[in-house]
PDB file of all heavy atoms in Angstrom:
ATOM      1  N   ASP A  11     -16.053  10.628   6.284  1.00 98.00           N
ATOM      2  CA  ASP A  11     -17.510  10.700   6.056  1.00 98.00           C
ATOM      3  C   ASP A  11     -17.834  10.233   4.634  1.00 98.00           C
ATOM      4  O   ASP A  11     -18.340  10.997   3.807  1.00 98.00           O
ATOM      5  CB  ASP A  11     -18.046  12.129   6.291  1.00 98.00           C
ATOM      6  CG  ASP A  11     -17.439  13.160   5.331  1.00 98.00           C
ATOM      7  OD1 ASP A  11     -16.341  12.925   4.789  1.00 98.00           O
ATOM      8  OD2 ASP A  11     -18.097  14.204   5.106  1.00 98.00           O
ATOM      9  N   ASP A  15     -14.996  10.694  -2.378  1.00 98.00           N
ATOM     10  CA  ASP A  15     -13.547  10.878  -2.298  1.00 98.00           C
ATOM     11  C   ASP A  15     -12.955  10.247  -1.048  1.00 98.00           C
ATOM     12  O   ASP A  15     -11.817   9.771  -1.051  1.00 98.00           O
ATOM     13  CB  ASP A  15     -13.164  12.354  -2.425  1.00 98.00           C
ATOM     14  CG  ASP A  15     -13.946  13.268  -1.500  1.00 98.00           C
ATOM     15  OD1 ASP A  15     -15.065  12.914  -1.109  1.00 98.00           O
ATOM     16  OD2 ASP A  15     -13.437  14.345  -1.172  1.00 98.00           O
ATOM     17  N   ASP A  16     -13.764  10.170   0.031  1.00 98.00           N
ATOM     18  CA  ASP A  16     -13.320   9.414   1.211  1.00 98.00           C
ATOM     19  C   ASP A  16     -13.094   7.948   0.823  1.00 98.00           C
ATOM     20  O   ASP A  16     -12.147   7.309   1.282  1.00 98.00           O
ATOM     21  CB  ASP A  16     -14.371   9.442   2.317  1.00 98.00           C
ATOM     22  CG  ASP A  16     -14.760  10.843   2.754  1.00 98.00           C
ATOM     23  OD1 ASP A  16     -15.555  11.483   2.029  1.00 98.00           O
ATOM     24  OD2 ASP A  16     -14.272  11.296   3.805  1.00 98.00           O
ATOM     25  N   ASN A  40     -20.870  14.306   4.842  1.00 98.00           N
ATOM     26  CA  ASN A  40     -21.460  14.211   3.496  1.00 98.00           C
ATOM     27  C   ASN A  40     -22.884  13.665   3.545  1.00 98.00           C
ATOM     28  O   ASN A  40     -23.727  14.015   2.726  1.00 98.00           O
ATOM     29  CB  ASN A  40     -20.600  13.290   2.621  1.00 98.00           C
ATOM     30  CG  ASN A  40     -19.333  13.964   2.158  1.00 98.00           C
ATOM     31  OD1 ASN A  40     -19.336  15.166   1.858  1.00 98.00           O
ATOM     32  ND2 ASN A  40     -18.245  13.221   2.140  1.00 98.00           N
ATOM     33  N   THR A 126     -10.812  13.357   7.095  1.00 99.00           N
ATOM     34  CA  THR A 126     -11.296  13.801   5.774  1.00 99.00           C
ATOM     35  C   THR A 126     -12.782  14.161   5.811  1.00 99.00           C
ATOM     36  O   THR A 126     -13.449  14.169   4.764  1.00 99.00           O
ATOM     37  CB  THR A 126     -11.059  12.711   4.707  1.00 99.00           C
ATOM     38  OG1 THR A 126     -11.810  11.541   5.070  1.00 99.00           O
ATOM     39  CG2 THR A 126      -9.590  12.360   4.588  1.00 99.00           C
ATOM     40  N   GLY A 127     -13.290  14.401   6.991  1.00 98.00           N
ATOM     41  CA  GLY A 127     -14.663  14.878   7.160  1.00 98.00           C
ATOM     42  C   GLY A 127     -14.657  16.031   8.148  1.00 98.00           C
ATOM     43  O   GLY A 127     -13.599  16.526   8.535  1.00 98.00           O
ATOM     44  N   ASN A 168     -16.023  20.701   4.950  1.00 98.00           N
ATOM     45  CA  ASN A 168     -15.711  20.033   6.220  1.00 98.00           C
ATOM     46  C   ASN A 168     -15.600  21.028   7.373  1.00 98.00           C
ATOM     47  O   ASN A 168     -16.014  20.749   8.491  1.00 98.00           O
ATOM     48  CB  ASN A 168     -14.405  19.233   6.111  1.00 98.00           C
ATOM     49  CG  ASN A 168     -14.553  17.979   5.281  1.00 98.00           C
ATOM     50  OD1 ASN A 168     -15.653  17.449   5.147  1.00 98.00           O
ATOM     51  ND2 ASN A 168     -13.457  17.514   4.700  1.00 98.00           N
ATOM     52  N   ASP A 242     -10.038  13.865  -0.796  1.00 98.00           N
ATOM     53  CA  ASP A 242      -9.568  13.185   0.424  1.00 98.00           C
ATOM     54  C   ASP A 242      -8.310  12.341   0.273  1.00 98.00           C
ATOM     55  O   ASP A 242      -7.473  12.329   1.189  1.00 98.00           O
ATOM     56  CB  ASP A 242     -10.717  12.349   1.001  1.00 98.00           C
ATOM     57  CG  ASP A 242     -11.838  13.241   1.498  1.00 98.00           C
ATOM     58  OD1 ASP A 242     -11.577  14.422   1.792  1.00 98.00           O
ATOM     59  OD2 ASP A 242     -12.983  12.770   1.568  1.00 98.00           O
TER      60      ASP A 242
HETATM   61 CA1   CA B   2     -14.823  13.656   3.174  1.00 65.84          CA
END
Side-chain angles (χ1 to χ4, degrees):
D11 62 337
D15 50 335
D16 303 78
N40 284 323
T126 62
N168 287 336
D242 293 337

